[in-house]
C-alpha cells in the first residue's frame, strides 16, 4: 500500500469530496484533551491535525509517523506555510506496523485519523498492539474515522459512500482492506477505555477519545488474535 501516488491530490480531494466534514471529525474532541507533552500523529497525511496540535500545544514535542514520503512532505510544507518552524515536529518515514520508537512508553497522546480504515482487522490488531507499546500508562488516543450509521437512510447512504471510498482507495493506493475494521475491542485490549465519542455527518463519521487505564488488562506480546465482529 502506498499513498505516494495520490499525496499531491489528497488535500484537494478532501476539500472537493468531503468539504469541512473530515476536519470537523479530526478536531471534535480536541477540547477534551489533557495537555500532552509528547504527541505521536500516526498516518497524519497532509498535516491538518498537526497544525491544530502545534497551535494548541506550543510546548509539546510532536512526531509525525507516515509510510508515505509524499504525505510527510505535504505535512511539513503545510506546517511551514502556517508559520511554524521545522524544529516543531519530527517527521518519521516508517511503517506503523513495525516502527520501533527510541524509547518505549514515551507518548502521552497518539492520534490516528482516517487511518484505521486502511487496514484489514488482523493488521489493525497488530498495529494497535504495536503502537500501544509507545504509549505512556495514562496516555490518550484520538481516533477519527468513517463508520456505517446504525439505521435508516443514513445507513444506506453510509454504506454506498464507504463502498465507493474503498473502491477508489484500493485502486489508487492498493490498500488491502475491503470493509471498515472494528477497533473498539482492540483498543480495550490495549488498555484504553472510551472517554468521549462524537458522531458527525448523520453518523457517517466519528471522533473518539480513548484514555489508557492501567487497571485494564492489556495485550501481552504473543497473545492470540481477537475475533472481529462484522458490520
Ligand atoms: C487516508 S490517509 C489519512 C490521512 C490523514 N490522517 C487524514 O486525517 O486525512 C491515511 C494515511 O496513513 C498513512 N499510512 C497508511 N498506512 C500506513 C502505515 N502502515 N504506517 C504509517 N502510515 C500509514 C498514509 O500514507 C496516509 O498518509
Amino acid at each position: 500500500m502506498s499513498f505516494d501516488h495520490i499525496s499531491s491530490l489528497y488535500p484537494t480531494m478532501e476539500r472537493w469530496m468531503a468539504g469541512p466534514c473530515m476536519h470537523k471529525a479530526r478536531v471534535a474532541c480536541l477540547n477534551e484533551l489533557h495537555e500532552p507533552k509528547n504527541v505521536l500523529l500516526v498516518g497524519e497525511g497532509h498535516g491538518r491535525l498537526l497544525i491544530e496540535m502545534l497551535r494548541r500545544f506550543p510546548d509539546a514535542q510532536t512526531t509525525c509517523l507516515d509510510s508515505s514520503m509524499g504525505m510527510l512532505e505535504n505535512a511539513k510544507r503545510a506546517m511551514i506555510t502556517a508559520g511554524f518552524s521545522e524544529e516543531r515536529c519530527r517527521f518519521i518515514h516508517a511503517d506503523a506496523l513495525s516502527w520501533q520508537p527510541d524509547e518505549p512508553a514515551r507518548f502521552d497522546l497518539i492520534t490516528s485519523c482516517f487511518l484505521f480504515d486502511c487496514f484489514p482487522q488482523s493488521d489493525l490488531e497488530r498495529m494497535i498492539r504495536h503502537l500501544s507499546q509507545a504509549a505512556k500508562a495514562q496516555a490518550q488516543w484520538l481516533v477519527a474515522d468513517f463508520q456505517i450509521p446504525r439505521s435508516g437512510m443514513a445507513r444506506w447512504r453510509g454504506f454506498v459512500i464507504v463502498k465507493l471510498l474503498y473502491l477508489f482507495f484500493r485502486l489508487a493506493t492498493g490498500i488491502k482492506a475491503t470493509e471498515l475494521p472494528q477497533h473498539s475491542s482492540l483498543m480495550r485490549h490495549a488498555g484504553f477505555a472510551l472517554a468521549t465519542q462524537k458522531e458527525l455527518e448523520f453518523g457517517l463519521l466519528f471522533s473518539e477519545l480513548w484514555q489508557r487505564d492501567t487497571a485494564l488488562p492489556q495485550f501481552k506480546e504473543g497473545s492470540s488474535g481477537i475475533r472481529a465482529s462484522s458490520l
Side-chain angles (χ1 to χ4, degrees):
M1 158 187 13
S2 173
F3 277 72
D4 279 333
H5 309 303
I6 59 160
S7 60
S8 56
L9 295 174
Y10 190 87
T12 317
M13 269 167 39
E14 177 182 328
R15 241 190 334 270
W16 278 83
M17 284 159 47
C21 301
M22 286 171 71
H23 197 56
K24 282 187 186 161
R26 289 184 196 107
V27 300
C29 292
L30 292 193
N31 286 340
E32 270 97 327
L33 288 176
H34 309 315
E35 175 136 12
K37 290 200 175 75
N38 234 316
V39 185
L40 174 65
L41 299 103
V42 188
E44 168 54 12
H46 51 6
R48 290 192 70 183
L49 181 62
L50 168 65
I51 289 167
E52 295 288 343
M53 289 291 169
L54 296 175
R55 279 202 187 112
R56 276 174 188 250
F57 306 118
D59 299 325
Q61 288 188 19
T62 310
T63 303
C64 271
L65 173 72
D66 203 295
S67 57
S68 157
M69 188 53 97
M71 285 295 205
L72 286 172
E73 279 162 8
N74 277 348
K76 193 185 243 182
R77 210 170 21 249
M79 177 180 102
I80 292 167
T81 307
F84 296 103
S85 80
E86 271 190 46
E87 288 76 56
R88 287 291 310 278
C89 182
R90 195 161 66 118
F91 291 92
I92 299 178
H93 181 216
D95 184 342
L97 285 162
S98 53
W99 170 69
Q100 296 292 339
D102 309 337
E103 44 182 294
R106 170 151 176 250
F107 296 98
D108 47 14
L109 174 62
I110 296 179
T111 74
S112 49
C113 293
F114 302 100
L115 174 71
F116 287 180
D117 59 5
C118 299
F119 297 91
Q121 190 73 20
S122 56
D123 284 353
L124 183 63
E125 181 194 341
R126 263 178 65 208
M127 190 171 71
I128 290 177
R129 180 169 49 196
H130 189 66
L131 289 175
S132 67
Q133 289 162 22
K136 282 187 179 161
Q138 306 298 327
Q140 294 182 296
W141 192 327
L142 179 72
V143 184
D145 223 312
F146 292 93
Q147 64 181 2
I148 306 282
R150 273 173 293 279
S151 60
M153 281 302 290
R155 184 169 174 80
W156 286 107
R157 172 180 174 265
F159 187 78
V160 172
I161 291 173
V162 168
K163 275 273 176 238
L164 290 174
L165 284 173
Y166 273 116
L167 193 63
F168 173 76
F169 279 103
R170 275 173 71 81
L171 289 172
T173 69
I175 59 168
K176 281 196 274 168
T178 54
E179 60 179 2
L180 295 171
Q182 304 289 302
H183 65 287
S184 297
S185 61
L186 305 178
M187 292 296 290
R188 280 193 285 273
H189 274 76
F192 288 82
L194 186 60
T196 307
Q197 183 180 47
K198 296 185 182 176
E199 292 190 345
L200 300 93
E201 260 302 291
F202 309 103
L204 178 64
L205 303 177
F206 68 84
S207 186
E208 292 174 349
L209 191 58
W210 292 78
Q211 173 71 54
R212 195 166 220 187
D213 178 348
T214 44
L216 294 173
Q218 298 179 22
F219 274 124
K220 290 192 183 70
E221 271 305 307
S223 65
S224 62
I226 294 159
R227 270 198 1 199
S229 56
S230 58
L231 277 167

